[in-house]
Amino acid sequence: MGAGAGFGRGQLFLRSLLFLLLAGPPARGQLRYAVPEELEHGAFVANLGEDLGLDVSTLSARRFRIVSRAGARQHLEVNLENGILFVNERIDREEVCEAGGTCLLHLQLLVESPLELYRVEVEVLDINDHAPTFPWQEYVLEVAESAVLGARFPLESAQDPDVGTNSVHTYRLSPNGFFSLEVQTRSDASKFAELVLERALDREQQRVHRVLLTALDGGVPERSGTAHILVTVLDANDNVPAFDQPSYGVSLPEDAPAGTLVIQLNATDLDEGPNGEIEYSFSGHAPPRVRELFHIEPRSGQVLLKGRLDYERASLHELYVQAKDRGPSAVAVHCRVLVHLLDVNDNAPEVTLTSVSTPVLEDAPPGTVIAVISVLDRDSGDNGRVSCEVGPNVPFELRSSFRNYYTLVTTQALDREVVPEYNVSITARDMGSPALLTRSTLTVPVSDVNDNAPRFLQPSYSVYVMENNAPGASICSVSALDPDCQQNAYLSYSIADGHIHGMPVGTYVSINSDSGHMYALRSLDYEQIRSFQIQVQAQDAGFPPLSANVTVHIFVLDQNDNAPVIVSPMPRNGSVATELVPRSARPGYLVGTVSAVDADAGLNSRLSYQLLQATDFTLFSVAPDTGELRTLRSFLEQDASRQQLVVQVRDGGQPALSATVSLLLSVVETLPQTLSDFSEFSLPPEVSSSSPLTLYLLVSLGSISFTFLLAILILTAIRCRGERRSRQGDSCSPPRCHCCPGSRPSSDGLKTSNLTAQPPAGTTAATCLDVPAGGPPGYCYKVCLGPESAQSDFMFLKPCSPPRNNEKDPGKRSRPDQHLQVSKEAKQPNTDWLPPSTQRPALKRYQIQHWGNRGRRWKG
């Protein structure tokens, strides 16, 4: 039977498919298909994309879907990839449509962009998936032995949930010698069987007769159900009950309460006594739903309402009632009661909100579809007619597209910053009396559009930062607001490109892109930069992004972080600065001026001078403002010839910073014309303003020169020693020392000596020469030159110094006409590293002191 069922199901599917092909192209907006029940998941129903003329590739983007009520089972579904309508879950026609007749599934198809609505009806075709069944497997039929031939005995009908040809078609009776079977048809085309007595019964011969009743449906393949009938022969009860009419009809409102009298049945029996007492009951094939809703009083024949009626579920109920007397061999007679329900307005409209475009953009044009609204009233007639409207004071309206379908559209421009969300009240009211209504609220959030630029809380910012700040320290914070929301209000801060003193602004200041906190990336120096300004930009994350700029002025505050720097006098090679003072100096004689500079500003750079230590505080004084060192009185015979002073220079900062310089004053009888340690030149403005740089340059140049000269001397000494050892003789011992005669000081105090070392002719031994130095008298340099050193060049920047005024032996002074030449030609110095012209006097003086001190060390 399973193979036959599959074959029948396939025939029905082919039949429904043939029906669709012959029906032609469906009308736009209304389609109808047919599908057999009990198909498996994924079974093909129809190609909606092709039938509706839709582009299959855009179905997913346009949100093509089936709109159904909340909680309803989704028997059918659409494949968005190919537009095919398929079976989503097994369809049982008897479950979907409890009442007989045509079983339709109503589908509403919705597609957006643009919004289109289609209505589709799918008829569920019945298949022969149920066999006829009897209420009981065995019936007991009591027949009086006095029953006449041809007497008819109605039998219980078999029930088949299928419809049409698949329902009960006929009955069969097993062969026997007493009964035959006749099949009758009711007004509703249903079949029932009657047992006909063909041969007289004799209880004394056979008290019980057994026959098999078979019910057959008209499906392919044919299904059947059986029941055993046990016929018991009774003594005669000549009369059977009879109803007034074979069928009854009654109307009943659906809101009738339980206990309402539906109908009073009346049957009569001509017999007397128990044979004439009638009992009423439902026949065996009364459906369970009827037994739940109605009740029959056995003795009175009253049909009472037991359950709650629902016109929308079933508008007609068919009751099968039997009556039989209480005598022996009672025979039951049957009648049908049709209960027609009257609709009452007991169902309020149902509102289904299908959101299409929520949230809605605030720049959406008027007429934009927000949602599709469907209303449904299960009542009929005017009770099922519904009108729909929206509440006042909202920029929305309802437009009817189909019956009981509305679209909610905008009527004017929206502004999220004014109203971020609307609660739209939708009222559905039917036409019944009294009218029922349903209110539903649809929340329509307004989506933000990036239509507002950020705005800073201040038009500009002024920030004061103390110099020498720690790198990475926070210096200020900027803040901006954006009335938009979400990413359109998410602000990121950045610093506009620019340069500060030739350096990118990003090397000075950084900003936290999220919080707006600004940080100094380097330690600021008031002496290098006192103020600068930057442009800070706040930009939102919208599309396209909007931004705003603000100017941040940063002022660097001075801190007393630079100690005074002594410019004059300059100590010679780290030693104490010396100066000669004539003994004949009068009170107020200007010995020199102590000059200092401070890179700070304001009070931090205001300098004061004081005499910190002195051999005799009564001899000298220092002007606190100018630093001039003057004598307070005339020198006395008992005053020391060497006066040592310590002058302190202090700035006005808090705490104050200071520097000191030590002076060694030699009191002489006459003052020679020599360059003193007190500078007699004025520093150019650019040198004064950058004294630390000049000092560093001088120290660097001096260190390089000293290292270079020391390396030459070491190499020369090594070569001389090697030559002496190789020849086992000492050509430099005893040395031949020639001291250069002293020359008179020139007007500029500087003179260059060109010395040439010539070895004795015909020898290769090293030659030792005593070369005069520019130091004190009596000092000379011992230079040993090897044979290969004939081309070596030495350039002495300072000649032999003339004797001081206090020298006792003037005879030791060098003669001006005596010169020693070390090389044939003096090389010119390299000018690639020379400082600017404004710094050359100081550098020249430093070189003179350096070479002079170098000569002393060589001599020692």
Side-chain angles (χ1 to χ4, degrees), residues 684-695:
E686 59 270 21
V687 177
S688 299
S689 62
S690 60
S691 57
L693 178 62
T694 305
L695 180 62

Side-chain angles (χ1 to χ4, degrees), residues 706-751:
F706 172 76
T707 303
F708 177 73
L709 186 58
L710 181 62
I712 292 178
L713 292 177
I714 292 174
L715 291 175
T716 304
I718 292 174
R719 295 187 66 86
C720 289
R721 181 175 299 178
E723 289 293 335
R724 285 197 302 268
R725 290 179 179 179
S726 62
R727 298 183 179 275
Q728 298 180 354
D730 190 357
S731 300
C732 293
S733 178
R736 299 170 59 188
C737 182
H738 301 276
C739 295
C740 62
S743 60
R744 296 184 178 274
S746 61
S747 59
D748 57 357
L750 298 174
K751 191 170 184 181

Side-chain angles (χ1 to χ4, degrees), residues 757-779:
Q758 297 179 355
T763 65
T764 60
T767 303
C768 297
L769 298 178
D770 289 337
V771 182
Y779 286 85

Side-chain angles (χ1 to χ4, degrees), residues 547-691:
S547 61
N549 294 337
V550 69
T551 301
V552 179
H553 302 273
I554 300 177
F555 300 92
V556 183
L557 301 180
D558 184 43
Q559 191 179 34
N560 191 24
D561 58 341
N562 292 281
V565 177
I566 305 296
V567 178
S568 174
M570 296 290 291
R572 298 185 179 183
N573 198 22
S575 62
V576 178
T578 61
E579 181 59 31
L580 301 180
V581 181
R583 186 174 292 274
S584 61
R586 297 179 175 275
Y589 174 80
L590 178 62
V591 179
T593 301
V594 177
S595 298
V597 294
D598 195 317
D600 294 324
L603 291 177
N604 296 330
S605 64
R606 187 173 181 178
L607 305 179
S608 61
Y609 303 83
Q610 65 176 351
L611 189 61
L612 191 63
Q613 296 179 6
T615 304
D616 188 349
F617 282 96
T618 62
L619 272 178
F620 303 96
S621 66
V622 176
D625 297 329
T626 61
E628 293 180 348
L629 181 63
R630 295 180 180 272
T631 58
L632 292 177
R633 60 179 175 82
S634 300
F635 287 96
L636 302 178
E637 290 296 333
Q638 60 268 26
D639 290 334
S641 61
R642 288 179 177 270
Q643 298 286 332
Q644 186 170 0
L645 307 179
V646 176
V647 178
Q648 182 187 57
V649 183
R650 179 186 297 269
D651 59 25
Q654 291 296 332
L657 301 178
S658 62
T660 58
V661 59
S662 298
L663 303 176
L664 182 61
L665 304 182
S666 298
V667 182
V668 296
E669 297 298 331
T670 60
L671 187 66
Q673 297 181 0
T674 59
L675 184 65
S676 68
D677 287 341
F678 286 94
S679 300
E680 297 179 359
F681 57 89
S682 59
L683 290 175
E686 59 270 21
V687 177
S688 299
S689 62
S690 60
S691 57

Side-chain angles (χ1 to χ4, degrees), residues 7 65 75 91 159 206 226 339 394 645 650 697 705 782 796:
F7 177 77
R65 63 191 183 277
H75 295 287
I91 305 174
Q159 299 295 318
Q206 187 175 355
T226 61
V339 180
V394 291
L645 307 179
R650 179 186 297 269
L697 182 61
S705 302
K782 180 179 180 180
F796 292 88

